[in-house]
């Protein structure tokens, strides 16, 4: 029997392929809302290390939400630092 999970998100990549992600966290930071995703089923690369994807949530005027990539490296770094502080008890997070 397949367990249904409400923490999974399906996104379409640049090749049109559907990719499943586990939602690790959603939070507000500096006036914006962000989501941190982990590729589902690819929890590490054999080294015990997993890479997360951080996206900004855009709440459209029509009521639809969009997930946007973060192009500003300073913003991305600040959001990741905030995520690390939020999750320091739950995950061991390594710096590159």
């Amino acid at each position: 029997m397949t367990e249904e999970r409400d923490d999974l998100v399906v996104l379409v990549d640049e090749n049109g392929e559907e990719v499943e992600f586990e939602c690790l966290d959603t939070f507000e930071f500096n006036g914006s809302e962000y989501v941190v995703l982990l590729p589902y089923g690819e929890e590490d690369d054999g080294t015990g290390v997993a890479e997360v994807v951080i996206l900004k949530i855009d709440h459209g005027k029509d009521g639809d939400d969009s997930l946007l990539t973060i192009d500003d490296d300073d913003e991305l770094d600040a959001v990741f630092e905030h995520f690390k502080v939020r999750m320091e008890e739950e995950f061991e997070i390594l710096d590159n």
Side-chain angles (χ1 to χ4, degrees):
M1 176 185 266
T2 303
E3 181 181 331
E4 194 170 316
R5 296 183 52 165
D6 60 359
D7 63 340
L8 294 182
V9 176
V10 178
L11 301 177
V12 179
D13 69 11
E14 62 273 0
N15 299 321
E17 300 290 325
E18 289 187 349
V19 181
E20 283 188 314
F21 293 89
E22 178 181 0
C23 181
L24 298 180
D25 197 13
T26 302
F27 56 89
E28 287 190 32
F29 179 69
N30 288 343
S32 295
E33 193 171 359
Y34 299 90
V35 62
V36 181
L37 305 172
L38 178 68
Y40 185 66
E42 299 176 30
E43 296 190 14
D44 67 56
D45 60 4
T47 64
V49 177
E51 289 192 27
V52 298
V53 175
I54 301 174
L55 300 170
K56 182 184 277 190
I57 300 172
D58 177 48
H59 299 287
K61 293 178 184 177
D62 58 2
D64 289 334
D65 293 343
S66 299
L67 299 176
L68 309 173
T69 57
I70 303 169
D71 296 326
D72 182 322
D73 288 339
D74 292 333
E75 177 184 6
L76 186 59
D77 290 342
V79 172
F80 184 60
E81 288 301 318
H82 184 76
F83 169 72
K84 289 188 330 187
V85 170
R86 288 174 55 84
M87 294 298 181
E88 66 187 352
E89 305 253 338
E90 236 176 289
F91 300 107
E92 180 181 354
I93 299 176
L94 306 174
D95 291 316
N96 289 345

